Amino acid sequence: MNIYAVRLITFSPTHTSKQVGEAIVRGTGISDVARTDLTFHPAGKLEIPENTLTVITVPVYGGKVAPLALERMKDVHASGAPAVLVAVYGNRAYEKALVELDAFASDRGFKVIAGATFVGEHSYSTQQNPIAAGRPDADDLQFAETFGAKIRTKIEAAADMDKLYAVDVNRIHVPVRHFSVIPFLAEGGETTQSGVPMPRIPAVDAELCNHCGYCVKHCPAGAIAKSDECSTDVEKCIRCCACVKGCPQKGPYF
């Protein structure tokens, strides 16, 4: 069978998920590509036709799919259209994020024909404490392209949609988890492994902040207000670290 178009759906505050998704799409060799970026806006009502392959790439926060990504994708539906699901995590653990994304996509009528996890630079990575720094790197993106090519081969080998078999993402091999000092989410409260309470929002060095508005523009949750850049709304902040990683003055930090 043939698939003539691709819909790439991404949520990517620090651009890692988007890079992986773009590489997978390149690997498919399909030139008709539509893009839906959920980072700042909902997808709105979107019905995916059966002859379109949908590639969904989202980041993992605390072992779960970014809730804002799911919220902004809630009105995307299909009637059996094939989908590829990708969770991008910070080289610690993606826990049940891929299973969560699979349930979400399946409930909206997608047929999940492939799933994967990729490593992206951890949101809390710094020069002093690098965690998967620079990922996805060139090797990661080449692997993503190869993955895309394999998806295309799988589609072309199927005689029709009924023969294009679905996958069980629960059976995808989970990498061995090593002991890590990365802060984690603990039931009953958020702490580091040393037991220190984890900050819920970034701090800002007021002497460095020049109120340029970068963080206001690039916060996907709208948690920072213009002229009040040194404050972050704790109820809205999703700790994606777009402000921390992108600030030209290096004012915000965890």
Side-chain angles (χ1 to χ4, degrees), residues 6 88 136 152 160 171 173 217:
V6 176
V88 179
R152 176 72 177 267
D160 52 42
R171 299 180 64 185
H173 174 69
K217 181 179 179 181

Side-chain angles (χ1 to χ4, degrees), residues 68-194:
L68 199 54
L70 299 182
E71 172 65 24
R72 290 178 177 173
M73 242 191 318
K74 66 180 181 180
D75 292 325
V76 178
H77 293 89
S79 298
V84 177
L85 308 180
V86 180
V88 179
Y89 70 111
N91 207 28
R92 183 187 73 85
Y94 59 88
E95 315 238 354
K96 295 294 184 180
L98 195 59
V99 174
E100 180 186 14
L101 185 59
D102 176 80
F104 182 88
S106 298
D107 285 349
R108 279 152 184 78
F110 286 98
K111 184 176 188 177
V112 180
I113 65 164
T117 61
F118 281 82
V119 171
E121 182 173 309
H122 197 284
S123 294
Y124 297 159
S125 179
T126 64
Q127 288 186 335
Q128 294 78 19
N129 297 290
I131 310 166
R135 307 282 296 274
D137 56 22
D139 288 341
D140 295 322
L141 297 179
Q142 181 56 60
F143 192 88
E145 286 197 34
T146 301
F147 179 54
K150 290 181 178 180
I151 293 165
R152 176 72 177 267
T153 298
K154 174 178 179 174
I155 292 171
E156 291 179 342
D160 52 42
M161 188 61 73
D162 289 338
K163 297 296 191 298
L164 184 60
Y165 61 87
V167 297
D168 180 2
V169 300
N170 285 282
R171 299 180 64 185
I172 293 176
H173 174 69
V174 178
V176 175
R177 292 177 59 181
H178 299 286
F179 179 78
S180 169
V181 294
I182 302 172
F184 67 100
L185 303 182
E187 188 170 346
E190 299 172 312
T191 65
T192 66
Q193 288 181 340
S194 61

